[in-house]
Amino acid sequence: MNFHFPSDTISAEIISVGTELLLGDIVNTDTAYLARELAALGIPCYYQSVVGDNPARLTSVLSLALSRSNLILLTGGLGPTCDDLTKETAAALMGKTLSLHMHSYERIRAVLSKRGLTETDNQKKQAMLPPDAVVFDNDYGTAPAFAMEDAAHGKLMILMPGPPRELEPLFAERVRPYLARITADDNSGRGSVIYSLNIGLYGIGEAAVEALLRDKMESGQNPTIAPYCNEGEVRLRITARGDTEEHCHALCLSAAEEIRSVSCAPYRPGVLDDYIYGIGCNSLEEALVTVLREKKLHISCAESCTGGYIAKRITNIPGASEVLDGAFVTYAEKTKMAFAAVKPETLAECSVYSSEVAAEMAQGCLSAVGADIGIGVTGIAGVDGDTRIYHGKEEVLNAGTVFLASASTKWADAGSDGSAVSDGSADAGSHCETVCLELAPGKRSPMEAREYIRHRASSHALWMALQTARRM
Amino acid sequence: MNFHFPSDTISAEIISVGTELLLGDIVNTDTAYLARELAALGIPCYYQSVVGDNPARLTSVLSLALSRSNLILLTGGLGPTCDDLTKETAAALMGKTLSLHMHSYERIRAVLSKRGLTETDNQKKQAMLPPDAVVFDNDYGTAPAFAMEDAAHGKLMILMPGPPRELEPLFAERVRPYLARITADDNSGRGSVIYSLNIGLYGIGEAAVEALLRDKMESGQNPTIAPYCNEGEVRLRITARGDTEEHCHALCLSAAEEIRSVSCAPYRPGVLDDYIYGIGCNSLEEALVTVLREKKLHISCAESCTGGYIAKRITNIPGASEVLDGAFVTYAEKTKMAFAAVKPETLAECSVYSSEVAAEMAQGCLSAVGADIGIGVTGIAGVDGDTRIYHGKEEVLNAGTVFLASASTKWADAGSDGSAVSDGSADAGSHCETVCLELAPGKRSPMEAREYIRHRASSHALWMALQTARRM
């Protein structure tokens, strides 16, 4: 393959074909995925569009795309039951004809025979490809992806299947390396290997992270740094290009080191490292389970307003059974007492919405299960506030007021932690930290407010447990 | 407003403006939402596109849109910190100029003063609108939405804010009624009021539902019926247009009645009603909590492989505290015994992966919490299968093998249920049903396979609990 894109001339465009997108039956996650991948490859993308299975409209959209961009990524319209002409239309515009691609045909037949299905004409159609296409085998479905190169006009069109379960691994395994190779450019240092490393941050906002890293993000060509925001979390994706994976990996790690030591002033105390929950890790729960497994620690939780959200997130992670034996949803006062050993007098004196009850829940579930760390959460997840009688005084609490506690049996470093609002009462040899969050759901619908508060509270609980585990 | 769209000439197009979409930082849920709403209104939409904040590219995309469509829905690019020219560019193409809209300006000032913020020039810019615009107040943010009507050329462009939390309620409350009004057409019976009713189905696939209802979906102009598929569930959206809400509601209910009685042959036994979990209801968990509240019943669960997923879904629903006092994540054998009263001999004889253990978990958590219904779930959520020694015989179980049980204290109608594979041992006065699911995660990544199995298993548990509650 001698096809090559000089890095300074490339401009991409993503087109999705499918009536289900035009009707809003499905959300276009393919385009978001490909857009992220193009950004990581350093390929600018100025347009995205969606069009139905109509040949005339498809032709007009593709012609326009070829007139303003030179790399067209097309998803959808390759299925066996499609009466569409996506492939034929696209090939015609690239000056190609289709013929049976024996390798793909054999692969499709093998898949069908493995599933005990008989072949239909439609399935044979999936193996019709331009003879000079670059074919990307599809290990996740029947329709192969393929690239049509037009070296004379400097145009490239890549057709890929629409289902995200096929598209995403197929792109990652086969199309991305191809794109990295053909856009590699020795002069600009863009190698043919591309490598990404994620850094997850908690407890600092996206705006602050962007402000702190703006210089690095703007000046950095290799590696590039891009922030992604997710409710209450920020993720940084560091992407390096180079000639070898080792070199790329080293570039990413060195950028990560620099990021860790960036001071958070004037937004937050400390350095960014204080807010990092994981490097090369995809979620708070993955970071937590990883540390617990490394240290052979067990966790339990007693959840009131989060109602199982924390346990559900911990058990999202393969290997969670090594660190969690059992946990409780203690929604009513009677179950808080029965399963998490909350004392009736604490409920009477402090009310169910209190750091004291959260602390007893944390210590109670820890004891009940024989774990090393216990998490207790109680608060108001609805849209309406509530009142509590706290030591005889009535207090109004807003919706989103959540009390969290993290208890542990042992603690190597008993140093103080800036994020703790108060220390709960601790049994001999145990430690407990409590925090009160005020989560403002803003103008959300009741269901969305509830989800927002519960998600944020469970994230904070995971973060507290991670901090505790790190110290143990 | 005399502006009117004859129903046979209208054709819509959705354009989203934003660099964060081009970079894949966010998924374009706005477009999916608007596309669904257009479909419900009976307005065809042939194109969707995304473009950045670049005036030249935005002009070319909008010009093309105006040349091929007559209703343009534009989202994004209205924020106070945007240096974009979305509004100016769009207004110029519609032959409009902008001036300060006092009503919107006062509203923005009121929001800012309530938040204790001082006004900036950028915020004033949000109140710059064409003098003859139809303005839609934004109760969810600062930037108003507005429509620009060009009666002479029969073109309409509506600009709306990008954040989904603003766009969706603003569209539903203000823009949708406007669109219904201007596209109302006495000749075709399309009234100015639009009303939708959701029907949720479980246990029957989308393909079967589509095949069973194809005639109704294709012939039905008013109401229209559209299916949406969600893992393991099908949702039907019935949408009626008419002159009054009562009339639309009656049309939807009558269509729902017809759907309920459709025979499922040859795909499934029974009629569609047997698979409906709710009418006018958004999820299995909402249907379950509603029935439990109506019947004043309490539920508990003991979850192994689902690890809190079922409790989390039940407590998603406001009012869940009336029906759930407590629940257990019993991941390890020791917690199954300690909290869900699973007998050591059952674990030894049947293994932890068995209907017998699921049944004991269901009955055990019911008793421990004093609930009316208990759910027990145990199985293999990973990507690797496992073996069990079942009554002395080694058996291989695939990943996705999940045993579920639903126990109850009383049961009005003790008739047999077709979906039950076997009946667990029941205490005096109690009933217990068990099911073994074989969930095939297909070619998913380990994390996705896990999520798929856990989500499907929790859905089935909610469905079993609903069936049990209905009989009580």
Side-chain angles (χ1 to χ4, degrees):
Chain A
M1 236 71 60
N2 298 313
F3 193 76
H4 183 250
F5 260 123
S7 62
D8 51 345
T9 63
I10 193 167
S11 113
E13 168 151 6
I14 303 168
I15 299 172
S16 304
V17 182
T19 307
E20 66 281 18
L21 289 168
L22 287 178
L23 290 171
D25 290 357
I26 56 171
V27 176
N28 195 349
T29 55
D30 283 356
T31 291
Y33 172 79
L34 292 174
R36 270 195 308 277
E37 292 295 329
L38 287 174
L41 282 157
I43 298 173
C45 171
Y46 297 119
Y47 303 97
Q48 300 170 347
S49 24
V50 176
V51 63
D53 285 336
N54 174 290
R57 284 192 284 268
L58 183 57
T59 300
S60 80
V61 166
L62 285 175
S63 303
L64 175 68
L66 284 166
S67 76
R68 64 189 181 187
S69 309
N70 46 19
L71 167 60
I72 320 287
L73 300 183
L74 199 69
T75 71
L78 305 180
T81 62
C82 294
D83 55 350
D84 61 280
L85 294 157
T86 304
K87 202 159 52 177
E88 289 76 358
T89 305
L93 285 169
M94 292 292 285
K96 314 275 183 186
T97 53
L98 304 180
S99 60
L100 191 65
H101 187 254
M102 280 313 292
H103 169 75
S104 297
Y105 184 48
E106 291 305 331
R107 283 181 59 93
I108 292 170
R109 285 164 60 105
V111 169
L112 294 174
S113 100
K114 212 176 145 188
R115 295 186 193 161
L117 300 170
T118 48
E119 183 197 338
T120 67
D121 280 352
N122 277 328
Q123 276 139 354
K124 195 167 185 172
K125 211 182 114 191
Q126 293 194 301
M128 297 290 288
L129 302 174
D132 58 350
V134 180
V135 180
F136 307 105
D137 288 345
N138 182 350
D139 293 329
Y140 305 90
T142 50
F146 63 96
M148 295 187 282
E149 300 172 340
D150 176 356
H153 301 93
K155 302 280 180 188
L156 174 64
M157 194 183 289
I158 305 180
L159 278 75
M160 294 169 280
R165 285 202 294 129
E166 299 182 32
L167 171 73
E168 295 185 12
L170 199 164
F171 184 91
E173 291 164 17
R174 303 190 192 269
V175 182
R176 182 166 50 192
Y178 165 79
L179 281 175
R181 202 164 57 238
I182 64 164
T183 59
D185 185 350
D186 290 340
N187 299 329
S188 68
R190 290 152 64 108
S192 61
V193 173
I194 184 154
Y195 181 89
S196 288
L197 183 70
N198 287 327
I199 300 185
L201 296 110
Y202 181 83
I204 186 166
E206 191 192 18
V209 173
E210 281 201 357
L212 295 169
L213 297 179
R214 187 164 297 135
D215 288 352
K216 285 190 200 303
M217 290 194 290
E218 282 170 7
S219 67
Q221 287 301 305
N222 196 24
T224 57
I225 304 169
Y228 298 93
C229 180
N230 197 349
E231 270 181 10
E233 290 180 41
V234 178
R235 212 165 298 170
L236 293 172
R237 189 180 187 188
I238 307 177
T239 305
R241 290 188 71 157
D243 292 327
T244 66
E245 189 153 326
E246 292 68 36
H247 179 56
C248 294
H249 188 64
L251 285 174
C252 288
L253 282 182
S254 137
E257 273 312 309
E258 272 186 52
I259 289 169
R260 290 173 66 168
S261 61
V262 168
S263 158
C264 296
Y267 306 99
R268 289 269 165 178
V271 291
L272 279 178
D273 195 39
D274 299 333
Y275 303 90
I276 291 177
Y277 63 73
I279 293 180
C281 154
N282 292 305
S283 63
L284 271 166
E285 46 270 39
E286 186 185 326
L288 174 62
V289 171
T290 303
V291 170
L292 293 173
R293 287 175 76 175
E294 281 169 8
K295 299 197 169 192
K296 300 196 187 301
L297 295 172
H298 283 71
I299 191 166
S300 182
C301 33
E303 303 183 53
S304 191
C305 61
T306 48
Y309 212 144
I310 300 168
K312 191 263 165 190
R313 288 178 66 177
I314 292 172
T315 57
N316 277 351
I317 308 301
S321 60
E322 289 175 33
V323 304
L324 186 135
D325 290 331
F328 305 91
V329 177
T330 52
Y331 228 47
E333 295 197 357
K334 72 169 190 184
T335 57
K336 288 184 181 71
M337 293 186 283
F339 306 116
V342 172
K343 299 186 197 95
E345 52 269 30
T346 314
L347 288 166
E349 266 167 44
C350 305
S351 102
V352 69
Y353 304 130
S354 63
S355 293
E356 289 83 351
V357 166
E360 289 189 1
M361 290 165 71
Q363 288 163 329
C365 70
L366 181 159
S367 300
V369 174
D372 306 293
I373 298 174
I375 296 291
V377 182
T378 175
I380 307 170
V383 282
D384 300 317
D386 207 339
T387 55
R388 70 169 181 179
I389 315 279
Y390 186 74
H391 292 298
K393 258 198 4 217
E394 179 163 309
E395 294 176 356
V396 176
L397 300 179
N398 294 319
T401 304
V402 181
F403 299 90
L404 301 98
S406 170
S408 62
T409 49
K410 51 187 175 194
W411 195 322
D413 160 25
S416 73
D417 180 275
S419 69
V421 167
S422 72
D423 277 5
S425 67
D427 292 340
S430 79
H431 292 265
C432 188
E433 263 189 305
T434 63
V435 168
C436 174
L437 297 181
E438 300 271 358
L439 299 163
K443 285 230 174 195
R444 287 174 160 87
S445 73
M447 284 296 288
E448 284 171 343
R450 201 172 167 85
E451 174 62 21
Y452 171 81
I453 293 167
R454 282 154 50 89
H455 182 264
R456 288 293 302 269
S458 67
S459 293
H460 200 87
L462 295 168
W463 173 251
M464 285 177 81
L466 177 64
Q467 302 281 80
T468 303
R470 282 177 176 169
R471 291 199 193 94
M472 288 176 74
Chain B
M1 238 70 59
N2 297 313
F3 192 75
H4 183 250
F5 260 124
S7 63
D8 52 346
T9 62
I10 192 166
S11 114
E13 169 152 5
I14 303 168
I15 298 172
S16 304
V17 182
T19 307
E20 65 282 18
L21 290 166
L22 288 179
L23 290 172
D25 290 355
I26 57 172
V27 177
N28 196 348
T29 56
D30 283 356
T31 291
Y33 171 80
L34 292 174
R36 273 197 307 276
E37 292 295 326
L38 288 174
L41 282 157
I43 298 173
C45 171
Y46 297 119
Y47 303 98
Q48 300 170 348
S49 24
V50 175
V51 64
D53 285 337
N54 174 291
R57 284 191 284 270
L58 183 59
T59 299
S60 80
V61 166
L62 284 175
S63 303
L64 176 67
L66 284 167
S67 75
R68 65 191 180 185
S69 309
N70 46 21
L71 168 61
I72 320 289
L73 299 183
L74 198 70
T75 71
L78 306 181
T81 60
C82 294
D83 57 348
D84 60 281
L85 294 158
T86 304
K87 201 157 57 175
E88 289 74 1
T89 306
L93 285 169
M94 292 293 284
K96 313 275 182 185
T97 53
L98 304 180
S99 60
L100 190 65
H101 187 254
M102 279 313 292
H103 169 74
S104 297
Y105 184 47
E106 291 303 331
R107 282 181 59 92
I108 293 171
R109 284 164 60 106
V111 169
L112 294 175
S113 99
K114 213 174 145 189
R115 294 187 194 162
L117 300 170
T118 47
E119 183 197 338
T120 66
D121 280 352
N122 277 329
Q123 275 140 353
K124 195 166 184 175
K125 208 182 118 192
Q126 294 194 300
M128 296 292 286
L129 302 175
D132 59 350
V134 180
V135 179
F136 307 106
D137 288 345
N138 181 351
D139 293 330
Y140 305 90
T142 50
F146 63 97
M148 294 188 283
E149 301 172 339
D150 176 355
H153 301 92
K155 302 282 180 188
L156 174 64
M157 193 183 290
I158 305 180
L159 278 74
M160 291 169 284
R165 285 203 294 129
E166 298 182 32
L167 172 74
E168 295 186 13
L170 198 165
F171 184 91
E173 290 164 18
R174 306 193 191 267
V175 181
R176 181 165 55 191
Y178 164 79
L179 281 175
R181 203 163 58 237
I182 65 165
T183 60
D185 184 351
D186 290 340
N187 300 328
S188 69
R190 291 151 63 109
S192 60
V193 174
I194 185 153
Y195 182 89
S196 289
L197 184 70
N198 287 327
I199 300 185
L201 297 110
Y202 181 83
I204 185 166
E206 191 191 20
V209 173
E210 280 202 356
L212 295 168
L213 296 180
R214 187 166 295 134
D215 288 353
K216 285 190 202 298
M217 288 194 292
E218 281 170 5
S219 66
Q221 286 301 305
N222 195 24
T224 57
I225 303 168
Y228 299 93
C229 180
N230 197 348
E231 269 180 11
E233 290 180 41
V234 179
R235 213 165 298 171
L236 293 172
R237 188 181 188 186
I238 307 176
T239 306
R241 290 187 68 158
D243 293 326
T244 65
E245 189 152 329
E246 292 69 35
H247 179 56
C248 293
H249 187 64
L251 285 173
C252 288
L253 282 182
S254 137
E257 272 314 307
E258 273 187 53
I259 288 169
R260 291 174 65 169
S261 60
V262 168
S263 158
C264 296
Y267 306 98
R268 289 270 165 175
V271 290
L272 278 178
D273 194 40
D274 300 332
Y275 303 90
I276 291 177
Y277 63 74
I279 294 180
C281 154
N282 292 306
S283 64
L284 272 165
E285 46 271 37
E286 185 185 327
L288 174 61
V289 171
T290 303
V291 170
L292 293 173
R293 287 175 76 175
E294 280 169 9
K295 300 199 169 191
K296 300 196 187 302
L297 294 171
H298 283 72
I299 191 166
S300 182
C301 32
E303 303 182 56
S304 192
C305 61
T306 47
Y309 212 145
I310 301 168
K312 190 264 167 188
R313 288 178 67 178
I314 292 172
T315 57
N316 277 351
I317 307 301
S321 59
E322 289 174 35
V323 306
L324 186 135
D325 290 330
F328 305 91
V329 177
T330 52
Y331 228 48
E333 297 198 356
K334 71 169 189 182
T335 57
K336 289 183 180 70
M337 294 187 280
F339 306 116
V342 172
K343 298 186 198 95
E345 52 269 32
T346 314
L347 287 166
E349 267 167 41
C350 304
S351 101
V352 69
Y353 305 130
S354 64
S355 294
E356 289 82 351
V357 166
E360 290 189 358
M361 289 165 72
Q363 289 165 330
C365 69
L366 183 159
S367 302
V369 175
D372 306 293
I373 297 174
I375 297 291
V377 181
T378 175
I380 306 171
V383 283
D384 301 316
D386 207 340
T387 56
R388 69 169 182 180
I389 314 280
Y390 187 73
H391 290 299
K393 258 197 5 217
E394 178 163 310
E395 295 175 355
V396 174
L397 300 179
N398 294 320
T401 304
V402 182
F403 299 90
L404 300 98
S406 169
S408 61
T409 48
K410 52 188 175 191
W411 194 325
D413 161 26
S416 73
D417 179 277
S419 68
V421 167
S422 73
D423 278 6
S425 67
D427 292 340
S430 79
H431 292 264
C432 188
E433 264 188 306
T434 63
V435 168
C436 174
L437 297 181
E438 299 271 359
L439 300 164
K443 285 230 175 197
R444 288 175 160 86
S445 73
M447 283 295 288
E448 285 172 343
R450 200 172 168 85
E451 173 63 19
Y452 171 80
I453 293 167
R454 282 154 49 89
H455 182 263
R456 288 293 301 271
S458 67
S459 294
H460 200 86
L462 294 169
W463 172 250
M464 286 177 83
L466 177 64
Q467 302 281 79
T468 303
R470 282 176 175 168
R471 292 198 192 94
M472 288 176 72

